[in-house]
């Protein structure tokens, strides 16, 4: 049981370094291929951490297995 936090942290770091870990497919056939938080005040750079009282942009990339009609986010 003692090694569980270390193993969990290692899995988290491995998943974070692999963009493939972000992928999820919805029942409607949409695949989330990327999700990035950006700070427009910092040139739109991707972020690893957030600060309170700031606005951020969430950029998501989806792939569809079929044409999308009337899509809403």
């Amino acid at each position: 049981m003692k090694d569980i936090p270390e193993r969990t942290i290692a899995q988290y770091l491995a998943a974070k370094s692999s963009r493939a870990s972000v992928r999820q497919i919805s029942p409607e056939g949409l695949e989330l291929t990327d999700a990035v938080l950006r700070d427009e005040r910092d040139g739109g750079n991707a972020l690893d951490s957030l600060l309170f009282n700031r606005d951020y942009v969430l950029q998501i990339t989806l792939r569809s297995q079929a044409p999308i009609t009337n899509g809403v986010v």
Side-chain angles (χ1 to χ4, degrees), residues 33-45:
T33 61
D34 199 19
V36 180
L37 280 171
R38 299 188 182 280
D39 184 350
E40 288 187 335
R41 291 190 287 179
D42 190 24
N45 294 325

Side-chain angles (χ1 to χ4, degrees), residues 26 28-31 61-73:
S26 74
E28 294 79 18
L30 290 177
E31 179 182 3
T61 305
L62 301 171
R63 179 179 300 137
S64 175
Q65 297 177 8
I68 299 174
T69 57
N70 302 320
V72 177
V73 176

Side-chain angles (χ1 to χ4, degrees), residues 7-23 33-35:
R7 192 171 3 144
T8 302
I9 291 169
Q11 289 172 344
Y12 168 78
L13 293 173
K16 186 176 177 190
S17 67
S18 170
R19 287 291 185 188
S21 67
V22 175
R23 289 196 170 127
T33 61
D34 199 19

